[in-house]
Amino acid sequence: MYDNAEQELASLEERGLLRDLQALPETGGKIVIEGKKVLNFSSNDYMGLARDQRLKEAAVEAVSRYGCGATASRLLAGHLTLHEELESDLSRMMDTDAALVFGSGFLTNLGVLSSLAGPGDHVFSDRLNHASLIDGIRLSRAHCYRYRHKDMAHLEDLLKKSQDTPGKRIIVSESVFSMDGDIAPLKELSELASRYHAMLIIDEAHAIGVFGRQGGGVCRIPGREIQPDVIIGTLSKALGGYGGFVACSVSVRRLLINKARSFIYSTGLPPACLGSARAAVRIITSEPEPGTTLLEKARRFHSLLTQHSLKMPDFESQILPIIVGGNEDVMRFSESLSRKGLLVKGVRPPTVPPGTARVRLSLTLSMTDSALEQAACAIAEAAEEVGIALHGSTGVTTQ
Ligand SMILES: Cc1ncc(COP(=O)(O)O)c(C=O)c1O
């Protein structure tokens, strides 16, 4: 019996950090909760594919052909032809020589970082990188240097200082930052990586399907293309299903199959996920730049919010944070939004740095302009009610 649980929970509650689950009756941009229509700003189903008929049919077909589970890890009997088919679809979409599918984006990051870095190596990580990247670096037991968010001068300084120490160098960053929606300076990261002979790993979890040529992410934006050594992606956000993947060279793929513990010691992704992901990739890659409409919608919504005097960081992506600061304040804001028919969850530390609790508005393709106009008014009213309209700060996450 673990008798400290109640004490720990009480301590979390006291600090305004207690989290709870809310069971939703359905997924989608517009959902009905307890008989009330709600606009869902907390989903990462950016392109509205999770409920797409083509994905559902592909998942059903895969289940009828292969069954419900992969039945074993990929190195045993759990490697299906469907895994290989999806991996060649993904490498074509990402324009890399190879791809490897993992159980989730989180597991991909654990596997990639802990395989490509090891004790004595040096990993340079943006201070706002996702928990899965941080945990991957911890597992690798490499030296970790956290550079200030998007601060290339700081990164270069750290690279210089470690220049004469033995060991591999790896720079790792998200492209679109999950909780801030801003975009890393990829060209500069790529230049620093080649100047200091470092490997570059870019996590495109929130960009794949939305940004770039054929939805291949920010690294594939025409005219701004870069070639990182490794790109991490997820099947769980814009691709509407579940799973993660890495897009890389043939040799990195082979190395991961041999070293990544989250790949080796876990059952292969199940057929339903593989089937739906193949359909999602087909849909996404059928357009030259699939995210254009979503990003225009997000830009209009951002400008509506600023017209309502809400202080917002500059527009960069479909993720729009409103930074509140205090943990209790953000939860009051989120509750007020919920009473107004908007599902916008509060995000608190440790997901974001202390003092930068926020609501994270995530735009999805199904949101109509009129629904967004009403939502902007409701958000401004709620901000007024809880007294944050004039206190929202834009710069606090850059630490
Ligand atoms: C930047 C980033 N990388 C990786 C992940 C993990 O992806 P998944 O949800 O597929 O496990 C997330 C999820 O939120 C993320 O934001």
Side-chain angles (χ1 to χ4, degrees):
M1 180 77 178
Y2 177 55
D3 55 10
N4 271 342
E6 287 301 333
Q7 251 172 289
E8 279 194 37
L9 287 167
S11 152
L12 285 170
E13 185 154 30
E14 214 167 274
R15 290 175 288 143
L17 292 175
L18 192 64
R19 304 173 191 211
D20 251 321
L21 294 171
Q22 177 187 12
L24 299 178
E26 55 183 335
T27 57
K30 275 172 254 146
I31 55 181
V32 177
I33 303 178
E34 290 167 7
K36 196 172 155 193
K37 282 191 193 147
V38 171
L39 197 60
N40 181 2
F41 280 102
S42 290
S43 149
N44 295 321
D45 181 24
Y46 303 123
M47 302 299 283
L49 288 178
R51 299 178 62 91
D52 189 288
Q53 194 56 26
R54 293 163 290 182
L55 269 72
K56 290 184 195 173
E57 281 167 13
V60 169
E61 198 188 313
V63 169
S64 337
R65 181 148 170 227
Y66 292 92
C68 291
T71 76
S73 83
R74 300 268 303 270
L75 284 165
L76 297 177
H79 178 54
L80 308 173
T81 46
L82 204 44
H83 286 104
E84 288 211 340
E85 285 160 358
L86 174 60
E87 285 166 359
S88 40
D89 294 347
L90 288 168
S91 66
R92 259 195 306 280
M93 171 182 175
M94 301 302 295
D95 200 9
T96 52
D97 290 338
L100 185 69
V101 167
F102 282 70
S104 71
F106 200 107
L107 292 173
T108 311
N109 280 338
L110 292 191
V112 167
L113 269 305
S114 61
S115 302
L116 300 184
D121 292 335
H122 308 270
V123 182
F124 302 83
S125 169
D126 188 289
R127 199 167 274 181
L128 294 191
N129 274 344
H130 189 256
S132 54
L133 293 167
I134 297 170
D135 290 357
I137 300 167
R138 285 184 182 143
L139 273 179
S140 79
R141 287 178 286 148
H143 300 290
C144 180
Y145 307 81
R146 294 178 78 199
Y147 60 90
R148 286 189 291 273
H149 183 48
K150 299 198 302 185
D151 185 336
M152 294 298 100
H154 189 209
L155 170 59
E156 181 157 22
D157 193 38
L158 294 170
L159 283 162
K160 251 188 212 146
K161 281 185 184 144
S162 75
Q163 210 170 10
D164 299 323
T165 357
K168 264 182 292 173
R169 261 142 268 276
I170 298 178
I171 302 174
V172 58
S173 175
E174 295 178 34
S175 59
V176 172
F177 284 87
S178 61
M179 292 299 138
D180 291 71
D182 57 345
I183 297 181
L186 294 184
K187 267 257 174 309
E188 290 89 330
L189 282 169
S190 173
E191 278 160 19
L192 285 175
S194 61
R195 197 172 320 143
Y196 289 89
H197 310 291
M199 177 183 232
L200 181 61
I201 299 180
I202 300 295
D203 181 339
E204 295 252 42
H206 292 272
I208 280 167
V210 176
F211 282 85
R213 185 165 37 82
Q214 295 193 321
V218 181
C219 298
R220 299 291 179 256
I221 294 178
R224 288 167 51 189
E225 306 210 10
I226 62 153
Q227 303 293 346
D229 300 281
V230 170
I231 299 179
I232 312 285
T234 177
L235 307 173
S236 327
K237 303 189 195 297
L239 299 188
Y242 193 69
F245 69 93
V246 52
C248 56
S249 66
V250 173
S251 48
V252 167
R253 178 179 187 271
R254 289 182 63 206
L255 187 66
L256 292 173
I257 291 171
N258 281 276
K259 278 186 82 180
R261 291 163 68 87
S262 59
F263 177 87
I264 300 170
Y265 300 105
S266 188
T267 300
L269 198 65
C273 296
L274 299 168
S276 74
R278 287 203 76 196
V281 171
R282 253 194 312 277
I283 295 167
I284 290 290
T285 55
S286 67
E287 292 201 31
E289 288 184 55
T292 309
T293 309
L294 174 66
L295 293 171
E296 278 166 8
K297 211 182 267 292
R299 183 188 292 280
R300 285 198 296 278
F301 188 52
H302 178 272
S303 99
L304 277 174
L305 291 170
T306 49
Q307 281 161 30
H308 279 287
S309 304
L310 281 154
K311 285 187 185 168
M312 308 275 298
D314 291 342
F315 168 77
E316 291 194 59
S317 75
Q318 76 282 11
I319 299 167
L320 307 175
I322 302 177
I323 294 156
V324 175
N327 301 335
E328 274 96 5
D329 285 348
V330 85
M331 297 320 283
R332 284 194 301 119
F333 190 26
S334 165
E335 279 153 24
S336 165
L337 291 168
S338 159
R339 287 192 293 275
K340 295 178 193 301
L342 307 179
L343 180 63
V344 188
K345 295 284 185 181
V347 186
R348 291 166 289 171
T351 308
V352 293
T356 72
R358 69 201 60 189
V359 292
R360 171 188 181 272
L361 300 159
S362 167
L363 274 270
T364 56
L365 207 48
S366 66
M367 293 172 172
T368 61
D369 285 343
S370 68
L372 288 174
E373 273 164 34
Q374 284 173 23
C377 294
I379 293 168
E381 273 171 33
E384 197 77 42
E385 268 171 38
V386 293
I388 60 145
L390 302 173
H391 309 296
S393 164
T394 55
V396 269
T397 59
T398 307
Q399 43 162 0

